[in-house]
Amino acid sequence: STVDDMTILKASPDLRGPVVEVTGANAQNKTMHGSGIVDLGIVGHKGGNQTHCLLLNSSDGKYVANMFFERLLLDNANRDGMNIRSAEKHLQLRDLWIGHCNRDALSIEDGYRYWITNGYFYDSRYGVNIKEPVSDVSIIHPHCRKNRRAGMKIESDRFQVAGGRSVNNRYGAELYGDHGIVSGGEYINNEVGIVLGSDRSGPTGSQLL
């Protein structure tokens, strides 16, 4: 269906797997250079076997890289709203609204050089979950609200978070990665504003400004 110039894809109860999967399998070149998804809404169906709303997963020697995603609405996923499971590098994510997910609104498991700008991540397990193998992540003006664990969990090295708000989560942010910078944000009305490191060790070379 189409609402306000945005195409909406809705999962049926019998759908298995993600609603939309980007694999690069049919790309003529090695990577999906310059490809993107713009103005798309994806709504899951929690009563069925649907997993993620949007899954990026390289396959058959083709790499998901050099892509952009703008003005996406992802809602009601059984697992993650957007899961970047197997990507290479250079992904730009801008103007995202992701929420009501059983797991994470945005989960990034590998790859490097991500630019995430103006995202609203809400009512999920983690708003943004950046795993340890990921590196070089820039998150600008994120808004994380009412997530069950943390607005953001970042285990990546070489990250920066600038501006934005993290409100009414259990933790505003959990930061475990090295060489990160967090500046100019608001972390209010959370049980704990910012968790910096774990009981075993803290991030090396990270700064809160």
Side-chain angles (χ1 to χ4, degrees):
S1 60
T2 300
V3 179
D4 295 333
D5 298 325
M6 175 180 281
T7 299
I8 307 294
L9 303 179
K10 297 182 179 180
S12 63
D14 56 349
L15 176 67
R16 296 178 178 271
V19 182
V20 175
E21 182 174 4
V22 178
T23 67
N26 295 320
Q28 295 182 359
N29 298 315
K30 187 176 181 180
T31 63
M32 297 184 68
H33 181 75
S35 300
I37 296 177
V38 180
D39 290 326
L40 180 66
I42 304 175
V43 180
H45 191 292
K46 289 185 178 178
N49 292 314
Q50 169 265 329
T51 56
H52 312 292
C53 283
L54 177 59
L55 171 65
L56 274 62
N57 189 22
S58 297
S59 66
D60 298 331
K62 306 292 185 179
Y63 296 110
V64 175
N66 306 314
M67 296 189 67
F68 62 92
F69 300 84
E70 297 182 4
R71 296 185 300 277
L72 301 185
L73 170 64
L74 310 177
D75 190 77
N76 209 43
N78 270 337
R79 295 185 185 174
D80 301 329
M82 183 174 188
N83 181 287
I84 303 175
R85 176 178 301 170
S86 180
E88 185 71 9
K89 60 182 179 179
H90 297 167
L91 268 67
Q92 299 186 48
L93 314 176
R94 178 183 294 273
D95 298 335
L96 307 178
W97 295 266
I98 311 178
H100 304 128
C101 304
N102 282 339
R103 294 203 319 197
D104 306 332
L106 172 63
S107 177
I108 302 179
E109 299 187 13
D110 59 9
Y112 65 99
R113 294 180 188 161
Y114 289 90
W115 297 272
I116 304 167
T117 306
N118 293 337
Y120 184 43
F121 310 100
Y122 57 96
D123 198 18
S124 299
R125 181 178 64 175
Y126 291 105
V128 178
N129 191 357
I130 312 292
K131 303 295 182 64
E132 185 175 359
V134 182
S135 65
D136 291 327
V137 178
S138 178
I139 305 174
I140 309 300
H141 296 303
H143 291 257
C144 304
R145 180 174 176 268
K146 291 182 66 177
N147 295 288
R148 296 184 295 277
R149 295 191 182 177
M152 290 178 285
K153 180 180 180 182
I154 302 176
E155 299 174 319
S156 162
D157 64 346
R158 297 190 298 277
F159 68 89
Q160 78 167 15
V161 180
R165 308 182 79 210
S166 193
V167 182
N168 294 334
N169 311 282
R170 182 179 180 188
Y171 304 125
E174 295 183 73
L175 308 174
Y176 304 105
D178 294 334
H179 308 296
I181 297 176
V182 177
S183 62
E186 296 182 354
Y187 299 84
I188 56 178
N189 294 335
N190 307 286
E191 290 184 25
V192 177
I194 295 177
V195 176
L196 187 62
S198 65
D199 293 337
R200 299 183 299 276
S201 64
T204 300
S206 292
Q207 302 178 67
L208 303 180
L209 306 176

